[in-house]
Amino acid sequence: MRDAETILGLIRERGKRGLPLEKVYRLLFNRNLYLMAYGKIYRNAGAMTHGVTEETPDGMSLDKIDAIIEALRSERYQFLPARRVHIPKKNGKKRPLGMPVWSDKLVQEVIRLLLEAYYDVQFNDRSHGFRPERGCHSALREIYYQWGGTVWFIEGDISHGFEKLDHELLLKTLSEKIHDGKFINLMRELFDAGYMENWTVRFVRSKLW
């Protein structure tokens, strides 16, 4: 069984060369990727906050990982709706936040590791948001050292951007470079899992509205 860093390194190299990814779904059977994912998220703030079940990282074990892998291998894994809560924003309003069950959170982190390894190396070097080793500080360093003649900055935001992402467009974009029907179907199931609010399960519409 290959270690996680080797797998991500190979995926990263294919991303750099612009080569498509194939047989991605079977990478979800690698226990080492789940161990890496667990190490990245179990200490996060909110990791112990449960979703629609009482499952938390406290029940984590290799047997649990193997059970998730077996469910994926037999294509029986099913994402549960996220538990929706509302957290305050700086402007006094609130924004919705989905809290997945722990197993789903772990699988999502493995998927994130794979997608980030492939796509991050293809992003523009001027992009700093939501990327490893990048953020406000790296953006400010670039401005300080390279943008000496800049006078104006324009700040913008897309209203309810994440709530209105077109799922079909996301799946089509993934399918352009990820040639694995099983993986794309899994992503569709993830997008369609919906959320629970006030004990009612709601499903997010996959088209813009």
Side-chain angles (χ1 to χ4, degrees), residues 1-174:
M1 182 182 296
R2 288 176 173 174
D3 65 78
E5 287 294 351
T6 298
I7 293 172
L8 298 179
L10 291 171
I11 292 176
R12 199 172 291 115
E13 185 58 32
R14 291 191 71 84
K16 288 180 181 178
R17 296 167 62 187
L19 299 174
L21 283 182
E22 300 175 349
K23 300 179 180 179
V24 181
Y25 189 84
R26 72 179 187 180
L27 295 177
L28 300 176
F29 308 157
N30 189 295
R31 181 193 279 182
N32 293 325
L33 284 170
Y34 293 85
L35 294 174
M36 174 181 280
Y38 174 77
K40 287 182 176 294
I41 64 176
Y42 87 100
R43 293 181 180 176
N44 290 352
M48 294 298 295
T49 304
H50 65 83
V52 295
T53 71
E54 297 298 321
E55 182 188 17
T56 69
D58 279 347
M60 200 63 222
S61 67
L62 291 178
D63 287 341
K64 179 69 173 179
I65 291 175
D66 290 341
I68 292 173
I69 291 173
E70 182 55 35
L72 286 164
R73 193 189 304 274
S74 59
E75 299 182 49
R76 292 184 292 103
Y77 191 87
Q78 187 172 22
F79 292 102
L80 293 177
R83 181 171 66 90
R84 174 166 283 193
V85 297
H86 293 267
I87 60 175
K89 298 172 65 174
K90 292 181 180 179
N91 60 8
K93 297 182 180 180
K94 293 185 177 182
R95 70 177 180 90
L97 180 67
M99 306 299 295
V101 299
W102 171 252
S103 292
D104 288 355
K105 192 178 297 186
L106 190 65
V107 174
Q108 289 173 29
E109 177 63 13
V110 172
I111 292 173
R112 188 197 67 79
L113 289 171
L114 297 173
L115 294 180
E116 181 180 82
Y118 183 68
Y119 284 105
D120 185 71
V121 293
Q122 302 178 50
F123 290 161
N124 191 294
D125 197 48
R126 295 289 183 266
S127 173
H128 295 268
F130 303 99
R131 298 179 64 186
E133 309 301 326
R134 291 173 182 257
C136 294
H137 290 86
S138 60
L140 288 171
R141 279 196 300 271
E142 180 178 328
I143 291 170
Y144 181 81
Y145 289 110
Q146 300 184 34
W147 294 27
T150 302
V151 177
W152 293 95
F153 289 93
I154 300 176
E155 179 183 7
D157 190 16
I158 301 175
S159 178
H160 303 287
F162 288 111
E163 298 176 33
K164 296 186 178 181
L165 286 173
D166 187 330
H167 293 174
E168 292 302 324
L169 180 59
L170 288 174
L171 291 170
K172 181 180 178 182
T173 301
L174 289 173

